[in-house]
Amino acid sequence: MSESEVDAEMETLAAPFVSEPGSESPASLKRSLDDSGVDELDHAQIDKAKRLASTAIEVTFRLLCPVPRSGSVIGKGGEIIKQLRADTGARIRIEECLPNAEERVITISAGDTPDASWSPAQEALFRVHSRIVEGDTEGELPTGNTSARLLVYGAQIGSLIGKGGSIINSMREETGANIRVLPREALPLCAMEGDELVQIVGDISKVRGALQNVSARLRANPPARERIQGSRPLHNLAHRGANAMLGAHHAGLAHQAPQQLALQAPPPGTELHYRLLCPSIRSGSLIGRGGTVIRALREESGARIRIGDLVEGCDDRVVDIMSVEDGMSPVAPAQQAVLRVYQCIADGDQALGANSAGNSGRVPARLLVPKAQIGSLIGRGGSIIESMRRETGATIQILPAEALPTCAEEGDELVEISGEPAAMCYAALRLITARLRANPPRDRAGKAEGGD
């Protein structure tokens, strides 16, 4: 590295490095160089400064924070985030909140050296995550499951997955946490082009252990600088024509933001339950040889997925999809599973890269919904269902009672979603599952089923 390059790096390097007693920081060496001239300096110190400049790298993490919890990170008058910056030496920036968004991106970065055992950025990541999940509870740990959600550059994701999933499976076994790279349709609009979404779910100790493993691997495999600088926000791309740039699923995301993102998730512990209909002739695409497909879907989504028995005289089977709310995730595991299950039903085995002979043709998405919830999809005078149709372009219908299959339960309604391209169906499914999630069926005491 030339002396001019060292000059440019000195100011950046000054903060991350702590001077040892009797030594000088790179910035102080630069000032000595300016004031005294090279001949009067210890050349060993100059070499040390150059080595530090040449080996320093930038470590960056992007943590998703639910909008209501961002105040716990900022603090009154910004006092908390200022203290976090001072304590860790990292740069912590809470990005602009998009209209109607449920999450904000917290960008955490710091200079780093490869031989350091712990990065200032990692320390800040843990401190910020603690503020998100604990808030102002003064160290009282949350009970039940919690989560951490990270946006990761696509160039880094292989370092978390490994060949055949070897690395991510190892991290799951080691930490006991559910670590998943979510499908692209789960990406929030605050993501950048080429991002992947990593979600960690479990009790707080398991999540922290997994966060340590994940952050260490990301730190060891930084993306190329040009990949970062060339990225653009997905919400900007969507406004310029997502069909060409992002593919079908991201095109659907551009339509689903206004309604879905304004809805509130139920309290922690509430069980979320969807029932999707699968034509019996397509159930093999969902199960897979030896159950391989449905096991992969369960692992990928983190939801419980159960295929009902065949009912005599019925052409459909009920697929029960369930998960328990953690109170933080903007998209529940069961919602993600609904999209993936429908993809397998609609596209046959091609959804998982296999042949689908005999299963050609897209089928509509059909959900069995309790009558007590159907009003949340229709609205006064049909206002909600009409709005969802306009936003997604999909055909959304509440079918008459005579269309109900014999596998339905008493009091069920049948909701059917269709449309081309497929992105319309996925966008509508996102809106409908979000509304059902925000309006769970009530028990006789008036509480959400599964709630405390």
Side-chain angles (χ1 to χ4, degrees):
M1 178 178 282
S2 68
E3 185 173 307
S4 62
E5 289 173 319
V6 173
D7 290 350
E9 292 290 335
M10 286 301 180
E11 203 61 39
T12 303
L13 288 169
F17 295 101
V18 178
S19 299
E20 298 174 357
S23 67
E24 294 184 84
S25 69
S28 66
L29 288 175
K30 171 62 172 59
R31 286 193 296 272
S32 297
L33 182 63
D34 291 339
D35 297 340
S36 305
V38 172
D39 292 338
E40 298 181 21
L41 270 177
D42 184 340
H43 287 278
Q45 289 180 310
I46 297 175
D47 291 340
K48 180 180 179 181
K50 291 182 178 181
R51 284 198 306 273
L52 291 176
S54 63
T55 59
I57 58 173
E58 184 83 354
V59 175
T60 300
F61 301 112
R62 288 175 298 149
L63 184 65
L64 291 177
C65 174
V67 170
R69 308 240 179 172
S70 58
S72 296
V73 180
I74 299 170
K76 189 175 182 179
E79 59 183 10
I80 292 176
I81 195 168
K82 289 175 185 175
Q83 191 62 50
L84 289 170
R85 290 167 178 157
D87 290 346
T88 64
R91 295 180 295 282
I92 305 171
R93 184 176 69 248
I94 300 181
E95 307 293 353
E96 178 185 359
C97 183
L98 297 178
N100 299 312
E102 284 192 336
E103 293 176 294
R104 298 178 72 172
V105 177
I106 301 181
T107 302
I108 301 165
S109 58
D112 192 22
T113 48
D115 58 348
S117 60
W118 190 246
S119 163
Q122 284 178 286
E123 177 66 24
L125 176 66
F126 273 76
R127 295 279 196 97
V128 170
H129 180 255
S130 292
R131 291 298 309 176
I132 292 173
V133 299
E134 296 173 23
D136 298 314
T137 56
E138 297 184 355
E140 180 182 342
L141 296 179
T143 58
N145 279 354
T146 188
S147 64
R149 289 159 55 87
L150 290 161
L151 291 175
V152 175
Y153 299 111
Q156 292 179 284
I157 205 67
S159 66
L160 299 181
I161 297 174
K163 189 174 182 179
S166 58
I167 293 175
I168 198 167
N169 287 334
S170 175
M171 290 193 294
R172 288 167 181 158
E173 293 174 5
E174 182 180 337
T175 65
N178 187 343
I179 309 170
R180 291 177 291 127
V181 179
L182 299 185
R184 296 186 70 198
E185 57 264 24
L187 276 171
L189 290 181
C190 57
M192 304 292 285
E193 182 184 10
D195 276 350
E196 299 280 357
L197 177 56
V198 176
Q199 179 169 284
I200 305 168
V201 177
D203 64 48
I204 187 63
S205 61
K206 292 177 181 177
V207 168
R208 284 176 174 169
L211 196 57
Q212 180 175 347
N213 278 14
V214 168
S215 63
R217 289 194 169 277
L218 294 177
R219 178 192 177 200
N221 297 274
R225 187 180 298 270
E226 58 270 18
R227 290 180 183 271
I228 300 174
Q229 294 174 339
S231 297
R232 293 172 291 176
L234 288 184
H235 74 278
N236 286 346
L237 291 176
H239 290 167
R240 287 187 236 151
N243 283 334
M245 296 183 183
L246 302 175
H249 293 326
H250 283 158
L253 283 174
H255 294 287
Q256 61 90 21
Q259 281 198 18
Q260 181 193 341
L261 298 181
L263 300 172
Q264 296 297 315
T270 304
E271 182 170 79
L272 185 59
H273 186 182
Y274 300 111
R275 288 176 297 147
L276 193 64
L277 289 178
C278 173
S280 298
I281 59 172
R282 298 209 175 202
S283 59
S285 299
L286 183 55
I287 298 169
R289 180 172 294 180
T292 53
V293 173
I294 195 167
R295 283 199 298 270
L297 290 172
R298 289 166 178 156
E299 180 67 25
E300 179 183 289
S301 68
R304 303 190 304 281
I305 305 172
R306 183 178 64 234
I307 301 177
D309 295 332
L310 288 166
V311 174
E312 187 175 354
C314 187
D315 295 330
D316 297 296
R317 299 175 73 171
V318 177
V319 183
D320 290 284
I321 302 170
M322 298 158 284
S323 65
V324 176
E325 296 285 358
D326 64 7
M328 288 183 59
S329 300
V331 180
Q335 287 177 274
Q336 297 161 11
V338 166
L339 295 174
R340 291 292 284 122
V341 167
Y342 173 62
Q343 185 180 15
C344 287
I345 293 171
D347 298 339
D349 295 333
Q350 289 180 342
L352 288 137
N355 294 323
S356 58
N359 279 348
S360 60
R362 176 169 294 276
V363 299
R366 293 178 300 150
L367 287 162
L368 293 174
V369 176
K371 192 180 294 289
Q373 288 182 285
I374 205 68
S376 67
L377 302 182
I378 299 174
R380 180 174 293 181
S383 58
I384 293 175
I385 195 168
E386 283 300 326
S387 176
M388 291 192 294
R389 288 167 178 160
R390 286 195 304 270
E391 288 187 45
T392 65
T395 300
I396 307 171
Q397 303 179 81
I398 313 296
L399 298 185
E402 53 266 26
L404 279 168
T406 55
C407 58
E409 298 177 1
E410 185 178 355
D412 277 346
E413 298 276 1
L414 180 56
V415 179
E416 183 178 270
I417 308 159
S418 59
E420 290 291 343
M424 292 181 178
C425 286
Y426 290 114
L429 268 176
R430 287 290 296 270
L431 284 176
I432 287 170
T433 56
R435 295 205 66 86
L436 294 175
R437 180 191 185 197
N439 297 275
R442 302 278 167 171
D443 61 18
R444 292 183 180 178
K447 298 184 297 184
E449 291 182 1
D452 295 330

